[in-house]
């Protein structure tokens, strides 16, 4: 079996890990790391690219890496890797994947005879790590925590929404271009906008499925064919994502779409309602229990209508109260991307953004925004090139100049900042400076692993500060990478309500923070939300849609979100906050 892009990328990452444990120079390590990343992002099969002799056109792939890819593709093995593996046991590399264990520690454990995660866990539980040089009871406990978290994540490989949605759209675009395909959509957790996706479920309406299935399994992004039938096929993509495709006659499309959108919990309730009305409902049809002929539904609307319900937006279908709301005519009027007039969180070349203020304004205008706030990082974010007090003051004139240029064209450009909440809970600039800005975001970037009391106190300190308008990515999670901070969210919500401070739904698909359930709770409490791209580049601005999907899943309506408001209302709101 030929290696997939993902397997090759994983192997290069292991090479980088091994070089790191050996203490190799950083450039050599990074060469493999960056190549692995580029290969993971590569939608085409490396074999096809190699056959065209174009491996070196992949970013981060130079001559040496290209030769190693060739070797892997032709022999299925990599001699260089095998040499390394003879020196550094692969199980020692696994130890490196525990949060809090770097290459030096891994090497140290290895020297002490600890060569597997199981060894390490046993040693930690026996209290044997704390006496090693540079270790203590605290770091020993951290390692146990890291092992637990690694186990949780490894057991549950799910793909971020930001990876799954573009992949699904690309496949649908290709398949729907076929003359046999009438229409189609993604279903499952993706249609419900979960932040992570187990597999992609696609549905296409057609009377002639064979050419669609053939095209599906022979796409160049396919690594493995898991099933190839007339009504259902499954493949694994180069990046490891599984995709199921079902092709159905158009007359049955509605029942299938309703079924495969899920969630299972929603569908269980829907089937009960069907039974009460004298139907049995499955993915094929509604069948009257009195023996009369089955009823086909071409649309989902028809399915819900037969059950006496309005169509329920897929993002709500979790049995979180949407069925009761539908029954009593209280479904929310969910926010859409078209409702968005502004983007209140973005970075420029003044800190760690890729584009200057003018460039971001131009891109925002092209996307139909009517106002934006420039919010670069603050001084203590040294790695993000945060703004010193002098630079922040100087930036004001630069923003005002762009505003003067763009206001006549229909875009206001305001001056704000993303102010760090320091580890000690203080904000990163004095109040006198914060009050001179048009809009202030306060964010937790450091000290996210502090104990609940401490990290909560810091968040509350920022929320209570009258100069802070918005708390950025409040919980600090990174999807599949970092658990949220241990915040007392009830206290956060109480304070946000009491002080009128808004909370963010950060639309970056690595964050999606607040997540849906929290956004919903905030709205119920009357707290104002913002949905922001947190763009560091122009492409990032288009990630706003992931924030909208998350908000919809949280029952959010347009008026709950500041950036759906007119610029006049926005200015009035900030003025009332003392700006
Ligand atoms: P995922 O893929 O883990 O992110 O989550 P889903 O919701 O996409 O789950 P998946 O792909 O297993 O199935 C898609 C939908 O099909 C699911 O949401 C509901 C429906 N479905 C699948 N299997 C069953 C089942 O055994 N019983 C019921 N009631 N529904 C099912
Ligand atoms: Ca799925
Ligand atoms: Ca599935
Ligand atoms: Zn930011």
């Amino acid at each position: 079996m030929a290696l997939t892009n993902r397997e090759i990328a994983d192997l290069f990452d292991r090479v980088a890990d091994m070089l790191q444990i050996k203490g190799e120079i950083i450039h050599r390590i990074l060469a493999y790391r960056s190549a692995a990343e580029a290969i993971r992002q590569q939608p085409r099969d490396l074999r096809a690219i190699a056959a065209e002799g174009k491996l070196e056109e992949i970013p981060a792939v130079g001559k040496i890496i290209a030769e190693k890819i060739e070797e892997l593709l032709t022999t299925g093995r990599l001699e260089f890797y095998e040499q390394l593996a003879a020196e550094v046991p692969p199980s020692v590399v696994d130890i490196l994947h525990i949060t809090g264990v770097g290459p030096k520690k891994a090497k140290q454990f290895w020297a002490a005879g600890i060569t597997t995660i199981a060894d390490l866990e046993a040693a930690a539980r026996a209290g044997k790590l704390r006496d090693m040089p540079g270790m203590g009871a605290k770091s020993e406990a951290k390692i146990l925590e890291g092992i637990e978290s690694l186990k949780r994540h490894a057991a549950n490989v799910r793909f971020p929404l930001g990876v799954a949605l573009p992949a699904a759209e690309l496949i649908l675009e290709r398949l729907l271009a076929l003359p046999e395909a009438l229409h189609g959509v993604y279903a499952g957790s993706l249609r419900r906008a979960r932040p992570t996706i187990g597999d992609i479920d696609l549905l296409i309406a057609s009377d002639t499925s064979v050419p669609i299935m053939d095209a599906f399994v022979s796409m160049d992004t396919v690594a493995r064919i898991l099933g190839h039938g007339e009504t259902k096929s499954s493949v694994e993509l180069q990046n490891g994502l599984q995709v199921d495709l079902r092709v159905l006659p158009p007359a049955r499309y509605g029942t299938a779409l309703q079924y495969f959108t899920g969630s299972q919990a929603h569908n269980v309730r829907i089937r009960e309602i069907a039974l009460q009305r004298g139907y049995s409902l499955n993915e094929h049809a509604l069948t009257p229990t009195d023996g009369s002929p089955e009823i086909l539904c071409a649309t989902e609307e028809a399915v819900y209508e037969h059950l006496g319900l309005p169509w329920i937006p897929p993002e709500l279908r979790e049995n979180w109260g949407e069925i009761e709301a539908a029954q009593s005519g209280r479904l929310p009027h969910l926010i859409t991307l078209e409702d968005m007039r502004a983007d209140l969180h973005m970075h420029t070349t003044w800190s760690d953004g890729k584009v200057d203020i003018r460039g971001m304004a131009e891109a925002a205008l092209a996307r139909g925004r009517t106002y934006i706030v420039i919010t670069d990082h603050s001084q203590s974010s040294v790695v993000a090139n945060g703004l010193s007090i002098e630079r922040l003051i100087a930036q004001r004139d630069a923003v005002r100049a762009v505003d003067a240029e763009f206001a006549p064209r229909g875009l206001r450009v305001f001056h704000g900042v993303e102010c760090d909440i320091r580890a000690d809970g203080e904000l990163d600039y004095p109040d006198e400076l914060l009050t001179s800005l048009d809009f202030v975001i306060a964010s937790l970037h450091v000290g996210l692993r502090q104990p609940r009391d401490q990290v909560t106190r810091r968040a509350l300190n920022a929320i209570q500060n009258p100069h802070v308008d918005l708390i950025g990515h409040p919980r600090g999670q990174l999807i599949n990478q970092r658990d949220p901070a241990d915040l007392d969210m009830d206290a956060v919500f109480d304070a946000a309500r009491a002080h009128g401070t808004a909370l963010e739904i950060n639309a970056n698909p690595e964050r999606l923070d607040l997540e849906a359930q929290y956004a919903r709770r905030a709205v119920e409490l009357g707290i104002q939300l913002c949905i922001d791209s947190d763009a560091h580049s122009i492409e990032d601005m288009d990630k706003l849609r992931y924030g909208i999907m998350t908000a919809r899943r949280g029952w959010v309506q347009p008026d709950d979100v500041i950036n759906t408001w007119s610029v006049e209302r926005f200015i009035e709101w900030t003025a009332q906050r003392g700006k």
Side-chain angles (χ1 to χ4, degrees):
M1 177 72 71
L3 290 167
T4 67
N5 290 16
R6 188 191 187 179
E7 287 162 339
I8 293 176
D10 288 350
L11 195 95
F12 283 160
D13 261 331
R14 289 188 81 78
V15 167
D17 290 342
M18 288 167 162
L19 293 174
Q20 214 170 347
I21 292 173
K22 284 186 57 173
E24 276 280 351
I25 58 161
I26 189 73
H27 289 298
R28 208 148 170 239
I29 299 164
L30 280 181
Y32 286 94
R33 222 32 109 212
S34 329
E37 188 53 33
I39 292 168
R40 264 194 209 98
Q41 304 285 327
Q42 174 55 244
R44 294 188 61 211
D45 189 345
L46 287 181
R47 268 171 303 184
I49 303 174
E52 293 166 8
K54 289 184 175 165
L55 283 175
E56 286 183 51
E57 288 178 19
I58 300 173
V61 173
K63 189 163 175 293
I64 295 176
I65 302 273
E67 283 170 8
K68 294 201 161 51
I69 297 175
E70 295 274 8
E71 184 184 341
L72 279 163
L73 290 174
T74 46
T75 68
R77 299 173 41 194
L78 185 63
E79 206 186 301
F80 180 53
Y81 172 79
E82 284 163 21
Q83 283 169 5
L84 282 171
E87 285 179 68
V88 184
S91 62
V92 170
V93 174
D94 295 336
I95 292 179
L96 195 62
H97 296 154
I98 301 168
T99 314
V101 178
K104 282 210 186 88
K105 283 252 168 70
K107 208 170 166 177
Q108 186 187 2
F109 295 145
W110 178 23
I114 298 172
T115 58
T116 65
I117 291 181
D119 288 353
L120 186 66
E121 186 172 1
R125 293 212 186 280
K128 286 183 188 155
L129 295 184
R130 61 185 68 182
D131 299 329
M132 293 175 74
M135 296 281 299
K138 222 171 154 181
S139 43
E140 187 178 75
K142 271 226 162 92
I143 284 180
L144 274 177
E145 238 176 73
I147 293 174
E148 287 307 318
S149 146
L150 189 70
K151 282 184 187 163
R152 274 201 306 277
H153 287 152
N156 193 12
V157 187
R158 298 181 60 84
F159 285 77
L161 183 60
V163 172
L165 182 60
E169 286 173 333
L170 190 70
I171 299 171
L172 277 174
E173 189 187 313
R174 290 188 188 177
L175 297 181
L176 292 177
L178 299 171
E180 293 83 4
L182 301 173
H183 54 89
V185 74
Y186 47 82
S189 52
L190 182 55
R191 188 160 180 245
R192 303 197 314 277
R194 281 192 61 179
T196 62
I197 307 300
D199 69 1
I200 296 177
D201 304 279
L202 300 179
L203 299 183
I204 290 182
S206 170
D207 294 308
T208 327
S209 72
V210 171
I212 301 173
M213 290 302 187
D214 289 349
F216 175 64
V217 299
S218 48
M219 294 181 306
D220 60 2
T221 50
V222 168
R224 283 196 189 97
I225 301 172
L226 307 171
H228 184 182
E230 271 192 41
T231 54
K232 184 187 171 191
S233 297
S234 295
V235 301
E236 185 184 318
L237 301 181
Q238 292 292 349
N239 64 6
L241 243 171
Q242 186 180 322
V243 188
D244 297 342
L245 170 65
R246 290 177 174 84
V247 177
L248 332 118
R252 294 188 189 271
Y253 184 78
T255 37
L257 180 55
Q258 197 286 322
Y259 180 87
F260 289 110
T261 297
S263 64
Q264 213 159 315
H266 174 88
N267 285 354
V268 166
R269 294 284 312 275
I270 291 294
R271 274 202 305 275
E272 285 168 6
I273 294 173
L275 276 177
Q276 286 159 11
R277 296 199 149 226
Y279 302 111
S280 104
L281 172 65
N282 62 19
E283 65 264 50
H284 307 294
L286 268 171
T287 311
T289 42
D290 65 6
S292 39
E294 61 178 14
I295 302 168
L296 304 189
C297 297
T299 66
E300 270 193 331
E301 283 81 356
V303 178
Y304 285 101
E305 202 184 319
H306 279 291
L307 307 183
L309 294 173
W311 178 81
I312 300 176
E315 297 91 336
L316 304 184
R317 298 185 199 167
E318 298 289 347
N319 194 24
W320 289 344
E322 75 281 6
I323 293 177
E324 291 73 12
Q327 282 168 332
S328 58
R330 286 183 294 104
L331 280 173
H333 168 70
L334 297 179
I335 189 168
T336 67
L337 194 55
E338 288 66 47
D339 293 315
M340 297 299 281
R341 302 203 212 189
D343 197 339
L344 307 179
H345 182 170
M346 64 182 66
H347 298 270
T348 71
T349 44
W350 283 74
S351 66
D352 61 349
K354 294 204 180 85
V355 180
D356 63 12
I357 301 170
R358 239 195 131 265
M360 292 305 266
E362 198 69 71
L365 187 64
R367 282 158 182 75
R369 313 278 178 256
T370 60
Y371 58 105
I372 58 174
V373 187
I374 301 297
T375 54
D376 275 304
H377 288 287
S378 63
Q379 52 186 348
S380 71
S381 276
V382 175
V383 283
N385 188 27
L387 300 175
S388 65
I389 291 180
E390 294 70 30
R391 288 176 68 222
L392 180 62
I393 292 171
Q395 194 190 34
R396 182 183 313 158
D397 292 337
V399 171
R400 294 286 181 255
V402 175
D403 181 45
E405 181 189 342
F406 279 78
R409 297 172 61 191
L411 179 83
R412 293 297 313 273
V413 182
F414 296 106
H415 188 217
V417 79
E418 180 175 19
C419 181
D420 255 42
I421 303 170
R422 293 181 190 169
D424 64 4
E426 291 303 311
L427 292 176
D428 209 12
Y429 295 118
D431 282 356
E432 308 83 76
L433 187 54
L434 293 179
T435 187
S436 72
L437 294 159
D438 299 323
F439 188 74
V440 174
I441 305 174
S443 302
L444 290 165
H445 287 121
V446 295
L448 289 162
R449 300 270 74 84
Q450 289 175 350
R452 189 176 180 88
D453 279 356
Q454 198 178 349
V455 72
T456 303
R457 222 175 311 126
R458 287 163 65 206
L460 297 187
N461 188 45
I463 294 169
Q464 288 158 5
N465 186 307
H467 308 298
V468 170
D469 301 294
L470 172 70
I471 304 298
H473 44 75
R475 303 181 74 228
Q477 67 192 9
L478 290 178
I479 286 172
N480 281 357
Q481 298 169 54
R482 186 172 75 200
D483 291 332
D486 188 16
L487 282 169
D488 177 347
M489 287 306 288
D490 285 336
V492 166
F493 287 143
D494 282 347
R497 179 160 63 167
H499 296 274
T501 312
L503 300 180
E504 184 176 65
I505 296 178
N506 190 291
N508 183 324
E510 291 192 14
R511 293 192 179 273
L512 299 180
D513 176 13
L514 296 175
E515 260 185 74
Q517 295 90 321
Y518 291 95
R520 183 169 175 191
R521 176 94 183 115
V523 164
E524 280 168 2
L525 292 169
I527 294 164
Q528 249 29 279
L529 297 176
C530 280
I531 305 175
D532 295 322
S533 69
D534 194 359
H536 286 69
S537 67
I538 288 174
E539 307 84 78
D540 278 354
M541 282 192 187
D542 296 320
K543 295 183 180 161
L544 207 57
R545 65 176 177 154
Y546 300 109
I548 300 290
M549 292 168 80
T550 303
R552 289 172 61 86
R553 200 172 152 74
W555 296 53
V556 174
Q557 312 196 57
D559 204 51
D560 302 325
V561 176
I562 289 176
N563 31 8
T564 66
W565 299 351
S566 69
V567 67
E568 293 78 18
R569 185 167 167 201
F570 171 71
I571 292 172
E572 203 178 302
W573 182 79
T574 56
Q576 148 253 299
R577 297 186 57 72
K579 293 258 154 47

